Amino acid sequence: MSVRDERTKQMKNIPDKETSELIKTAAQKILAGELVAFPTETVYGLGANALDAAAVKKIFAAKGRPSDNPLILHVSGIEMAETVVELNWRARYLIEKFWPGPLSLVLKAKAAIPSVTRAGLDTAAVRMPDNETALALIRAAGVPIAAPSANRSGRPSPTDAAAVTEDIGGAVSMVLDDGPTRVGLESTVLDVSEEIPVLLRPGGISKETIEEALHIEISLPHDIGLLRRSPGTRHRHYAPKIPLIISGSSAAEEAAKGKWAWIGTKDPAGTPFIKIVFSDTEEYARELFRVLRIIEKSGAETIVAQEPEEGGIGQALKDRLTRASGI
Ligand code: TXA
Ligand code: MG
């Protein structure tokens, strides 16, 4: 299949009038119950009208996503968020500081959200993406857009339009192509529905940054006996088609006997079949998913990934590498 088919619409370097026509068409498709893939600052999303149960079911079918894994509702701002979830002071405070941006907030859901969108839970995740095309689409549709990452379930998230087409091209009516994404890993998912905030998924905004803003320590699901956790973290995730091993283990030494690929911010010991060295941890995070898709097509048999530096985006990167390695 060609990477760019007639459904993929370039959003960069086109006149404003054409942009608004494309957004209008995409919004009409959303309101007609169709699927539209769109860019965000983190990864590309596979969008449907969050309030239309039949449309949302198409997302689960297109991705092969388990029906017990709820979706994030993408909103154009706090007013739209308020139509679907019960905000509290913590949520308002974090929204003021971090929206638009890669922070999804889990809150008590209002009845407006169909059960399928929130996988039967009484909470729902909302976020305002920091991407003009995404925001224009949500505003034009006038409804929250439910969107998981636009990959087949279990595959690395797509950070450009070509990866979307590769995974789920046949299922979408339109792909809005805004070039490669800026962050490259998904949003942080923070549950603020109860007294104790819980970090359900590390992501684009680090735990320390949120702790500094709230002046309290954020709990992890394990700290509270997994009473609250992200259903998505139960499922196998982010897997490339060949095994990924984190450096330093005996398995990594074993891999070095075959055709192996190296990814990291430093040079590897030994001679890999392919070597990808990033400038810093940010680039490692931003390019990880794209590079995994390239390496799996290269003929390499194993990927050895350097353990990332702690702090900042390093935590989210380590989470994704660990889950890609199947540990
Ligand atoms: O950056 C992102 O978050 C991207 C872009 C497209 O916005 N989206 C994304 O969606 O990564 P997805 O579906 O791949 O991941 C959503 C995560 C899952 O782990 C899901 O279980 C969790 O958010 N989640 C959603 N609603 C939840 C809820 N009510 N309670 C707990 N976890 C929830
Ligand atoms: Mg995903």
Side-chain angles (χ1 to χ4, degrees):
M1 192 196 333
S2 78
V3 162
R4 237 172 223 116
D5 61 18
E6 72 291 348
R7 287 185 300 268
T8 302
K9 307 294 180 196
Q10 212 78 43
M11 301 306 290
K12 285 231 167 92
N13 309 320
I14 57 169
D16 285 354
K17 191 164 168 287
E18 232 172 276
T19 310
S20 57
E21 280 305 311
L22 282 176
I23 295 286
K24 221 162 92 189
T25 309
Q28 280 162 356
K29 290 183 185 297
I30 292 282
L31 291 174
E34 295 175 34
L35 304 185
V36 173
F38 64 96
T40 79
E41 78 280 34
T42 57
V43 301
Y44 276 71
L46 174 61
N49 178 356
L51 309 181
D52 177 346
V56 169
K57 279 189 190 138
K58 291 184 191 168
I59 294 181
F60 284 90
K63 278 187 64 104
R65 182 179 177 102
S67 60
D68 65 350
N69 194 4
L71 304 176
I72 296 171
L73 287 84
H74 295 70
V75 295
S76 55
I78 190 163
E79 296 78 20
M80 189 182 272
E82 214 147 18
T83 64
V84 285
V85 289
E86 306 278 357
L87 295 179
N88 53 38
W89 73 264
R90 272 196 198 87
R92 284 178 213 283
Y93 181 77
L94 293 170
I95 285 171
E96 183 69 33
K97 272 198 143 40
F98 297 114
W99 281 12
L103 179 64
S104 297
L105 295 171
V106 172
L107 288 154
K108 294 266 177 280
K110 288 189 174 170
I113 310 177
S115 174
V116 53
T117 308
R118 49 188 153 105
L121 299 178
D122 59 5
T123 56
V126 285
R127 97 172 183 97
M128 179 185 184
D130 187 15
N131 176 285
E132 277 314 313
T133 300
L135 291 175
L137 175 65
I138 303 164
R139 283 191 208 107
V143 292
I145 297 185
S149 46
N151 49 285
R152 289 280 305 168
S153 216
R155 297 274 301 136
S157 293
T159 51
D160 54 37
V164 174
T165 309
E166 179 178 88
D167 269 23
I168 48 143
V172 289
S173 299
M174 203 168 166
V175 181
L176 298 175
D177 179 358
D178 186 39
T181 59
R182 177 167 61 77
V183 179
L185 298 182
E186 304 86 343
S187 64
T188 303
V189 180
L190 184 73
D191 185 340
V192 285
S193 66
E194 292 177 38
E195 199 70 19
I196 303 171
V198 183
L199 182 76
L200 300 182
R201 178 177 75 181
I205 294 184
S206 74
K207 181 164 175 272
E208 306 92 83
T209 306
I210 301 169
E211 286 177 333
E212 270 164 35
L214 282 177
H215 298 287
I216 53 162
E217 267 192 38
I218 308 267
S219 299
L220 298 174
H222 281 279
D223 300 334
I224 59 159
L226 293 174
L227 287 174
R228 279 182 284 159
R229 65 188 292 188
S230 194
T233 58
R234 282 197 301 261
H235 303 286
R236 187 174 140 84
H237 228 114
Y238 310 111
K241 287 176 181 154
I242 53 175
L244 182 144
I245 296 162
I246 298 183
S247 64
S249 61
S250 55
E253 275 173 35
E254 200 49 41
K257 291 178 189 156
K259 274 170 97 180
W260 57 290
W262 167 262
I263 56 172
T265 54
K266 298 181 190 137
D267 268 321
T271 315
F273 171 65
I274 295 182
K275 180 175 85 173
I276 293 177
V277 178
F278 302 105
S279 307
D280 51 31
T281 309
E282 279 67 36
E283 193 187 31
Y284 193 175
R286 186 172 64 241
E287 299 296 322
L288 173 71
F289 290 141
R290 191 184 343 272
V291 159
L292 292 182
R293 284 175 186 264
I294 293 171
I295 293 174
E296 68 184 16
K297 295 185 189 110
S298 70
E301 291 158 353
T302 330
I303 304 167
V304 180
Q306 182 195 316
E307 185 157 352
E309 314 257 328
E310 301 278 320
I313 195 79
Q315 191 191 10
L317 179 56
K318 191 171 172 188
D319 169 81
R320 304 308 188 270
L321 288 172
T322 307
R323 294 210 261 151
S325 75
I327 295 172

